Amino acid sequence: MRSYRSKQFDKLLAALPADAQRQAKQAYQQFKKNPRYPGLQFKPIDERNPPTYSARVGAHYRAGAFLMAMRSFGSG
């Protein structure tokens, strides 16, 4: 699985208090290592297109994510 942070995510992250930014960065690193890590509580919150997920970031914040389909391009 590939994971990318959007420009909007980075902008919203910068607006958070320093402690919340640190927790969010730690949670993102944990997610990249193991998206199924129980402490993240990564779960679907909306199944429309694109599916939307939520992950725990500390006691007071959650991060949102969209699941995007990977496209492969064949030759010629």
Side-chain angles (χ1 to χ4, degrees):
M1 173 189 327
R2 292 185 182 177
S3 175
Y4 301 96
R5 292 177 7 186
S6 70
K7 289 179 184 179
Q8 181 183 12
F9 179 89
D10 287 338
K11 182 179 176 180
L12 294 169
L13 178 65
L16 293 174
D19 190 48
Q21 289 183 37
R22 181 185 53 76
Q23 290 175 3
K25 290 174 183 177
Q26 288 175 344
Y28 183 64
Q29 292 304 314
Q30 181 63 56
F31 175 80
K32 288 192 329 183
K33 287 181 192 173
N34 179 8
R36 292 188 173 101
Y37 181 75
L40 294 173
Q41 298 178 4
F42 189 69
K43 59 186 175 184
I45 57 174
D46 189 345
E47 295 183 13
R48 291 181 280 185
N49 193 15
T52 307
Y53 291 81
S54 173
R56 182 183 180 102
V57 177
H60 303 288
Y61 294 95
R62 295 192 68 80
F66 297 105
L67 181 62
M68 305 300 288
M70 295 297 293
R71 293 186 179 154
S72 102
F73 298 93
S75 60

